[in-house]
């Protein structure tokens, strides 16, 4: 997706918001891949109405700016459920009313049954999640959407870490996001990227943020794509 000044501003505003909300933190964190990361993004900490509302606004504005055409949102359990609902509300507020659905982890054997909840899964379906780390959630979502007879048309995430994926303990050539794009032919729309995070750190005077930058830069040089 092309970088227009408005989109750069959106990304910078989002990174600032994530840092202020303590959702994006700096220090030493072990990733799922076993890497020692100098930063950690935990979307589960968008944990009150005001923060969730602002997060949804960032997703909705990025999606509208992207021009990506979709008929509905699909949120993979569990984080995607809240995201799909919140972003559907914000899209409607902005004049883009879209249905949404999500899956439950365990199939229900009473009531309506099945694993899919919400609007009928049909047409062009956009998957919404917080990040893509291994791509497992995306793959499972694609399978569920196709099984329902609908068409996966893209993925939207909050942060693209822009780092090499791992397979059997080895670094891959591409990131998990690039693998989704290449293997499934799906566009991935991110509110912000690691490059945006570096840009944010470049403009800071706060001592803690200034101190965090060299470690993030070194991590990007080691694992970045």
């Amino acid at each position: 997706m092309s970088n227009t000044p408005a989109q750069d501003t959106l990304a910078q505003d989002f990174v600032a918001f994530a840092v202020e909300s303590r959702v994006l933190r700096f220090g030493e964190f072990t990733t799922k891949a076993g890497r020692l990361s100098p930063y950690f993004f935990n979307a589960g900490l968008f944990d009150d109405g005001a923060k969730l509302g602002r997060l949804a606004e960032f997703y909705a504005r990025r999606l509208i700016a992207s021009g990506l055409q979709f008929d509905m949102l699909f949120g993979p359990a569990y984080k995607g459920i809240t995201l799909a609902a919140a972003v559907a509300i914000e899209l409607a507020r902005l004049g883009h009313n879209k249905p949404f659905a999500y899956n439950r982890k365990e199939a229900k054997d009473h009531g309506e049954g099945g694993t899919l909840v919400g609007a009928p899964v049909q047409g062009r379906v956009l998957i919404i999640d917080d990040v893509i780390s291994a791509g497992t959630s995306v793959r499972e979502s694609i399978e569920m959407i196709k099984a329902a007879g609908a068409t996966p048309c893209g993925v939207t995430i909050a942060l693209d870490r822009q780092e090499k994926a791992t397979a059997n303990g080895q670094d891959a050539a591409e990131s998990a996001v690039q693998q989704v794009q290449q293997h499934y032919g799906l566009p991935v729309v991110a509110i912000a990227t690691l490059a945006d995070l570096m840009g944010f750190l470049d403009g800071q005077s706060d001592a803690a943020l200034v101190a965090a930058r060299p470690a993030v830069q070194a991590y990007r040089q080691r694992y970045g794509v």
Side-chain angles (χ1 to χ4, degrees):
M1 196 167 63
S2 62
N3 276 334
T4 68
Q7 288 170 336
D8 288 344
T9 302
L10 188 69
Q12 292 301 308
D13 288 349
F14 175 71
V15 173
F17 164 57
V19 171
E20 287 161 16
S21 302
R22 301 280 294 149
V23 169
L24 180 57
R25 303 184 187 197
F26 300 96
E28 287 193 349
F29 308 92
T30 303
T31 69
K32 283 182 184 174
R35 295 171 182 159
L36 197 61
S37 172
Y39 73 99
F40 181 56
F41 180 82
N42 182 2
L45 296 176
F46 290 116
D47 56 5
D48 64 34
K51 285 184 284 201
L52 183 60
R54 277 206 73 195
L55 173 63
E57 182 186 348
F58 281 110
Y59 269 109
R61 287 173 60 197
R62 175 61 86 217
L63 284 171
I64 292 167
S66 77
L68 181 65
Q69 298 298 305
F70 60 96
D71 299 312
M72 68 178 296
L73 291 166
F74 180 82
Y78 290 100
K79 282 181 182 171
I81 297 174
T82 304
L83 294 174
V87 175
I89 292 168
E90 180 61 18
L91 283 169
R93 194 182 70 81
L94 295 172
H96 301 264
N97 190 24
K98 303 284 186 183
F100 72 96
Y102 55 91
N103 68 298
R104 52 166 66 93
K105 292 275 192 182
E106 308 80 19
K108 188 176 170 187
D109 59 4
H110 60 280
E112 74 275 24
T115 57
L116 298 180
V117 187
V121 176
Q122 56 193 20
R124 298 165 299 184
V125 184
L126 176 66
I127 299 162
I128 183 166
D129 216 336
D130 55 347
V131 294
I132 298 176
S133 34
T136 309
S137 174
V138 172
R139 186 179 69 250
E140 291 173 349
S141 297
I142 288 170
E143 289 169 359
M144 285 184 279
I145 291 164
K146 287 183 173 177
T151 306
C153 69
V155 185
T156 183
I157 55 175
L159 182 70
D160 178 359
R161 287 180 61 102
Q162 294 182 307
E163 67 181 71
K164 295 172 183 173
T166 56
N168 303 318
Q170 301 295 312
D171 290 346
E174 320 91 9
S175 70
V177 167
Q178 289 173 330
Q179 288 179 345
V180 166
Q181 290 171 324
Q182 292 166 12
H183 295 183
Y184 302 110
L186 296 179
V188 177
V189 176
I191 302 172
T193 65
L194 177 57
D196 295 315
L197 170 54
M198 292 299 301
F200 170 81
L201 291 175
D202 284 342
Q204 297 308 303
S205 55
D206 177 89
L209 294 176
V210 170
R213 192 190 182 286
V216 177
Q217 176 65 27
Y219 187 82
R220 187 183 187 192
Q221 287 175 335
R222 172 69 182 84
Y223 296 113
V225 293

